[in-house]
Amino acid sequence: MTRPSQPTDRAPVVVGTPGSFARSVLDERHPALIERVRRSTPYPPDRQRALDALLDEITGGPIGRLDDGEPGAGAWRDEPYYGQRWADVPFLWAESFFYRRLLAAVGYFAPGPWRGIDPFAPFKNAELAGAGVDDELSALDRLTALAPAERDRTLLLSSLWGNRADLGFRLSAGEAGLGDRVPGLVVDDSPALWNVLAAGEPGTVCLVADNAGPELLPDLVLADHLLTTGRAVRVVLHLKPYPYYVSDATTADALACLDRLTRASGQAAQTGGRLRRAVTEDRLVLRAHPFSCAPHPYDRMPADLREDFASAALTVMKGDLNYRRLVGDRHWPATTPFAEVTAYFPGPVAALRTLKCDVVTGLAPGTTDELDATARSWRTSGTHALVQVRA
């Protein structure tokens, strides 16, 4: 069967063009991250030298290969971009390979004492232990006072905004309606999302996670809500198989969040307890497919992952990176229909995404001009978000 293709002739691939958001990540964010990793963990001299070499390469040299002796190097051997400048290759690939090279520099995969040590764990642990987390979790106690539809929307918005989770938890029902008091939603297909879950018998929901720490907590709360309300008989939480993009969630991060919930009080603790039982009963499944760390869009997903998504009543893609991989990391015209660029996907799919890069689809005509006139950094600042659904 031929898969529907994306209309790539209308959308050039994102690269590190001078002055672009992608270029700022390559020139500023990646070098700063190397220094942050170096400061947060006392790596020995050989690891420090490897970090120095990576820093030199990304700031001045061409793209080098993984050493042949590096575990998993074979998976990257046939990529076509070696010897080119980091800014000249597809941005999605460059970012992904940078993180793989960073893990090689700190010895994450190599035999020895640094194997399996997450270089981003200090950042993720500090956020999860932050003083504000208990306050946000305590707001769950007030959700029971909301009408069912309002509770649905509050928890969905909490998952959508991630690090602004208190936006959703602290909203209360009112005559004006919750949607009127949530600024920054450039697309809101949330009614369609609930309609998909209400159609037919409840089935599996795939929830493809984004960030760890306080951003994963509302995702887990949403998963519990889907299970307890009968919208899903099973939630498959797709995580990263190894540390990626600074704060992307791994299995270890998900377990840390479950522990954080159960150590809280009130409704948060009860939610944590239900989720832990759901894991033991195979109703909450933690999955970490290797393609989750691949440098390619989802239209290149392998057959087993495709089958996983095809069998789901709905797949929910969380966050900016998953959105880029879902629609293709390209300069789409903003009015390009979301359904068109996701036509290849094997089942119903929803995107919950806070905008932190230039890629966006599915906007109504005129929206881009209006946003450009009032908030010029709306594509990258995290102040705007969207809920998009292709049923």
Side-chain angles (χ1 to χ4, degrees), residues 20 27 29 112 190 225 227-228 267 285 297 314 323 356:
S20 67
D27 288 354
R29 189 176 297 181
S190 53
H225 185 64
L227 291 169
T228 55
Q267 289 295 320
V285 179
L314 179 67
Y323 188 84
K356 297 178 183 175

Side-chain angles (χ1 to χ4, degrees), residues 286-326:
L286 307 185
R287 188 158 295 167
H289 194 284
F291 190 77
S292 295
C293 291
H296 306 298
Y298 279 109
D299 63 2
R300 293 179 58 176
M301 75 180 88
D304 61 334
L305 184 59
R306 185 177 179 83
E307 289 170 6
D308 203 23
F309 293 147
S311 65
L314 179 67
T315 295
V316 179
M317 294 281 184
K318 273 295 311 291
D320 207 62
L321 174 60
N322 280 322
Y323 188 84
R324 291 163 58 195
R325 297 186 71 197
L326 177 64

Side-chain angles (χ1 to χ4, degrees), residues 112 216 371:
L216 184 58
L371 290 169

Side-chain angles (χ1 to χ4, degrees), residues 140-147 151 173:
L140 285 171
D141 295 335
R142 298 192 287 279
L143 284 175
T144 56
L146 299 180
R151 193 179 310 153

Side-chain angles (χ1 to χ4, degrees), residues 184-199:
L185 276 176
V186 297
V187 180
D188 184 8
D189 291 342
S190 53
L193 183 150
W194 296 114
N195 286 340
V196 169
L197 293 177

Side-chain angles (χ1 to χ4, degrees), residues 66 84 109 118-119 129 131 146 153 159 162 215 236 258 271 275 286 301 315 326 370-371 382:
L66 282 169
Q84 301 183 47
F109 294 103
D118 184 347
L146 299 180
R153 184 155 173 78
S159 179
E215 297 192 34
V236 179
L258 289 178
T271 299
L275 287 169
L286 307 185
M301 75 180 88
T315 295
L326 177 64
E370 180 182 341
L371 290 169

Side-chain angles (χ1 to χ4, degrees), residues 201-328:
E201 293 295 320
T204 295
V205 172
C206 288
L207 178 56
V208 185
D210 184 33
N211 291 333
E215 297 192 34
L216 184 58
L217 289 171
D219 296 344
L220 289 168
V221 173
L222 179 62
D224 174 70
H225 185 64
L226 296 177
L227 291 169
T228 55
T229 59
R231 264 62 169 264
V233 295
R234 192 165 174 254
V235 173
V236 179
L237 183 65
H238 284 259
L239 302 156
K240 299 298 189 296
Y242 53 78
Y244 196 59
Y245 277 70
V246 186
S247 56
D248 279 23
T250 65
T251 302
D253 297 321
L255 295 176
C257 284
L258 289 178
D259 183 62
R260 187 72 174 85
L261 283 167
T262 55
R263 287 188 292 105
S265 58
Q267 289 295 320
Q270 294 180 37
T271 299
R274 286 194 299 268
L275 287 169
R276 288 177 66 92
R277 288 193 297 275
V279 174
T280 65
E281 295 166 358
D282 207 36
R283 292 183 297 111
L284 176 61
V285 179
L286 307 185
R287 188 158 295 167
H289 194 284
F291 190 77
S292 295
C293 291
H296 306 298
Y298 279 109
D299 63 2
R300 293 179 58 176
M301 75 180 88
D304 61 334
L305 184 59
R306 185 177 179 83
E307 289 170 6
D308 203 23
F309 293 147
S311 65
L314 179 67
T315 295
V316 179
M317 294 281 184
K318 273 295 311 291
D320 207 62
L321 174 60
N322 280 322
Y323 188 84
R324 291 163 58 195
R325 297 186 71 197
L326 177 64
V327 305

